[in-house]
Amino acid sequence: MAYLAFYFGASVLFAQFTSAFNCSQPPIYVDIHKRVVHGTDIFQYGSFIGVGTPAQNQSLWPSLRQNQTSVASTQFCDNSTLVDCAQSTRGNFDTSLSTSWMQTNGYTSLDSNMNGSYTGIFGKDDLHLYTHYFETDGASQNIVSNYTLEVATNGSVSPGVIGIGLSSTLLQSLFDEGLIAGRTYSLYVGSGMDRAGGVINGSNTFGGYDAGRFTGLVHKYPMNISDSNPLSVYIQDIVLNDPTGLTQNISLFDPKSFPTLHSRPDAFEAKITTDQYPLSLPYEITQNYIAQLAAIPSGNADGSLKLNKPFNGTMSLILSDGFTITLPADVMFNTSGLSPVAVRDQNSTEPFYFSVAALSQVYLMADFDSYSFYLAQAIAQQQAVMPVTFCPKTTPSPYNPPRQSNFVAQGMIGAVIGGVIGGSGIIGFAICFGLAWARQRAQRKKEKRYEEEMARAKTMQFDADGKFEAPLRTAGLVQFDVDDKDVVFDAPPRNPGKTGKTGKTGKAGKTGFWRSKS
């Protein structure tokens, strides 16, 4: 009886928990790629988001530490020490051009306890989250009205950030307005940022995950809710391997390979961050890396080490649960010779970081309602986007394509059909000969109808100016990995669509969406 009572009580609690979430609510997919942003013609890599009315295009970068969403003001670079400021703010926002902007005085930021890297004013405005699956198609949008954001007026780092911290105001607003199932979020950072030098676009999925973007086992980890940077992993080994060179399966933790280590180091905690590209490792491990690969300080602003000679190998980070993340050769030694490891001072007290270099190889899924997150091996070049709802307290699972039976895979159907047709050849020939004239006549009629339909379709696909416009593709079919260098982006015009307590959704118009670069 006691067991039955416990089972019944647990079932009631679970039912009460899940009833608070609408797990049929589809997620919001927002891509990450390079685009022209408001205030500059420089393409900048980030999330496809607009601010204000009419929307001013931004390329905001997701932060796993910051809770507030922030943008740069038009005066930010006049007061900033940020290097290459005009090319690095990820857009700017002119409050005077937005008819929906309302400044908020006396607002206390949820990030006030963090290091002051920039300051500004707070206010409320519309936030446009654009879903854009294919480069030549228009975007749909979800609008968060009266959203509180910070407009930075001065500082030393780029303020163009989406806050996806433990108390993310964006996730909370999306959930409160019924636009997502829960405070869940997934991220693939891609490799299209300047430091990485790649061409693969990334993505945010609010309230869901992209089932086609990861593969293999999904590894679960707890969040540290007492830390402003709540996501962390423990790294128990780091292995360098170049099968064609002298560095073959060398562990940076191995005292035999590195006599300066008196004993094998313990696993260390590395905080997951999007705030920097190179990994920050313990001093002894960094020194072993330098010694093995002849690395030197690069002078790069992010502190990356530089390799004196090419390294055509990999580096594997082995986590405490056995999950292994392998950084490929093009990450280990890029076109400038930069490596994915930062220099570290012997007396530094800064945390160790599992950074963007490592995140580019994994898919991250975070459940802020159950304070847990998941990592899985990312599929970098995936041709399909498959956003699915990530209901709190559930475990994400990758898309598994349907398997063909051995009968189909080995071509046995073709063999059977071929045998049947071959055995019936004479009978089939006699029948076809008798029906030949009738079939030819039917085919001519079919071709005529097809030509008429194609003529009507072509007429419908041309607009009033005589320009061809491709038919809309259905969402969720294609993921683009295309460099946008030949086009300049204009933010789509605001189209509220449906309004109500669940927020605003609608199609962003295609007029002026892409235009040739002049």
Side-chain angles (χ1 to χ4, degrees):
M1 288 295 292
Y3 173 79
L4 291 176
F6 172 78
Y7 178 81
F8 178 76
S11 300
V12 170
L13 287 175
F14 180 78
Q16 290 175 344
F17 178 85
T18 55
S19 65
F21 304 105
N22 178 11
C23 295
S24 64
Q25 178 66 31
I28 298 174
Y29 179 91
V30 177
D31 77 278
I32 300 173
H33 75 278
K34 282 187 176 180
R35 63 180 56 81
V36 166
V37 293
H38 185 263
T40 176
D41 289 331
I42 303 299
F43 275 65
Q44 299 189 41
Y45 188 76
S47 307
F48 189 11
I49 290 177
V51 179
T53 308
Q56 298 174 37
N57 192 45
Q58 312 290 317
S59 225
L60 304 184
W61 185 244
S63 170
L64 302 173
R65 179 179 62 93
Q66 187 168 313
N67 295 300
Q68 307 276 172
T69 294
S70 56
V71 293
S73 72
T74 53
Q75 295 82 33
F76 179 82
C77 289
D78 296 335
N79 308 311
S80 174
T81 59
L82 178 63
V83 177
D84 297 325
C85 186
Q87 305 174 25
S88 307
T89 59
R90 308 185 185 107
N92 65 40
F93 176 57
D94 189 342
T95 58
S96 67
L97 298 180
S98 175
T99 59
S100 50
W101 167 257
M102 295 180 294
Q103 185 168 334
T104 304
N105 297 319
Y107 180 83
T108 301
S109 172
L110 296 179
D111 302 319
S112 58
N113 61 332
M114 298 183 184
N115 294 332
S117 52
Y118 51 81
T119 58
I121 60 173
F122 284 88
K124 293 184 177 182
D125 212 327
D126 289 351
L127 198 69
H128 304 248
L129 305 179
Y130 297 120
T131 297
H132 184 218
Y133 290 106
F134 194 71
E135 185 178 17
T136 56
D137 283 355
S140 61
Q141 63 179 327
N142 285 272
I143 303 176
V144 184
S145 299
N146 296 319
Y147 177 70
T148 300
L149 70 156
E150 182 175 7
V151 181
T153 55
N154 64 78
S156 58
V157 301
S158 177
V161 165
I162 314 171
I164 312 292
L166 191 64
S167 302
S168 169
T169 58
L170 179 55
L171 285 178
Q172 190 65 53
S173 294
L174 290 172
F175 175 65
D176 290 344
E177 295 190 14
L179 294 175
I180 58 175
R183 295 189 312 125
T184 55
Y185 169 80
S186 300
L187 172 67
Y188 175 63
V189 296
S191 63
M193 67 286 293
D194 291 338
R195 171 59 181 83
V199 296
I200 306 299
N201 298 321
S203 63
N204 310 271
T205 308
F206 300 93
Y209 59 89
D210 183 355
R213 183 55 86 175
F214 62 101
T215 186
L217 295 177
V218 176
H219 301 263
K220 182 179 181 180
Y221 307 92
M223 291 184 186
N224 183 358
I225 61 175
S226 63
D227 195 322
S228 61
N229 203 333
L231 279 59
S232 65
V233 292
Y234 282 84
I235 300 176
Q236 67 178 5
D237 203 358
I238 300 176
V239 178
L240 300 173
N241 184 37
D242 180 3
T244 63
L246 299 176
T247 301
Q248 297 186 13
N249 291 319
I250 300 296
S251 168
L252 299 182
F253 284 57
D254 186 8
K256 293 181 180 179
S257 300
F258 303 99
T260 56
L261 293 175
H262 300 297
S263 61
R264 185 177 181 84
D266 294 330
F268 65 90
E269 182 183 16
K271 297 181 184 300
I272 298 178
T273 184
T274 57
D275 294 347
Q276 66 181 54
Y277 182 84
L279 297 155
S280 290
L281 306 175
Y283 175 76
E284 294 80 4
I285 302 299
T286 304
Q287 291 303 114
N288 293 345
Y289 179 89
I290 291 172
Q292 186 64 35
L293 299 183
I296 60 174
S298 66
N300 199 57
D302 66 1
S304 294
L305 289 165
K306 183 176 182 178
L307 304 187
N308 276 330
K309 55 183 179 180
F311 178 65
N312 195 34
T314 62
M315 182 169 72
S316 296
L317 309 175
I318 304 173
L319 306 188
S320 57
D321 63 347
F323 182 38
T324 299
I325 301 100
T326 299
L327 280 60
D330 60 344
V331 175
M332 292 300 297
F333 184 86
N334 74 358
T335 55
S336 301
L338 294 177
S339 84
V341 175
V343 66
R344 187 174 184 88
D345 186 80
Q346 185 173 7
N347 299 319
S348 175
T349 58
E350 290 295 311
F352 310 125
Y353 286 117
F354 182 99
S355 58
V356 172
L359 284 173
S360 66
Q361 308 305 312
V362 300
Y363 193 65
L364 168 67
M365 297 154 280
D367 180 355
F368 292 100
D369 285 310
S370 66
Y371 304 120
S372 57
F373 70 96
Y374 304 82
L375 296 176
Q377 179 64 47
I379 300 176
Q381 298 189 18
Q382 175 61 280
Q383 299 305 312
V385 175
M386 304 174 188
V388 297
T389 299
F390 182 6
C391 198
K393 278 201 170 181
T394 63
T395 300
S397 57
Y399 169 74
N400 291 313
R403 292 184 177 181
Q404 292 182 334
S405 67
N406 291 334
F407 186 76
V408 174
Q410 295 175 9
M412 296 304 293
I413 286 180
V416 172
I417 292 175
V420 172
I421 292 176
S424 317
I426 297 175
I427 298 174
F429 176 77
I431 295 173
C432 290
F433 182 81
L435 298 176
W437 181 83
R439 285 185 174 181
Q440 290 176 1
R441 183 180 181 185
Q443 182 64 24
R444 284 196 296 270
K445 289 182 178 180
K446 182 178 180 181
E447 290 176 353
K448 185 176 180 179
R449 288 196 303 270
Y450 177 77
E451 290 174 357
E452 291 174 350
E453 291 173 359
M454 287 299 295
R456 287 195 299 269
K458 288 181 179 179
T459 301
M460 294 173 64
Q461 288 175 349
F462 281 82
D463 60 20
D465 297 328
K467 297 179 181 179
F468 180 75
E469 183 177 8
L472 286 173
R473 291 173 174 82
T474 56
L477 294 183
V478 183
Q479 163 68 23
F480 61 92
D481 294 320
V482 181
D483 197 346
D484 297 336
K485 291 181 180 178
D486 296 330
V487 293
V488 175
F489 175 77
D490 284 332
R494 181 174 182 268
N495 185 347
K498 299 177 181 179
T499 60
K501 67 178 181 179
T502 57
K504 304 177 183 178
T505 61
K507 284 286 184 180
K510 295 182 81 173
T511 306
F513 190 79
W514 294 97
R515 56 183 171 87
S516 299
K517 193 173 184 179
S518 56

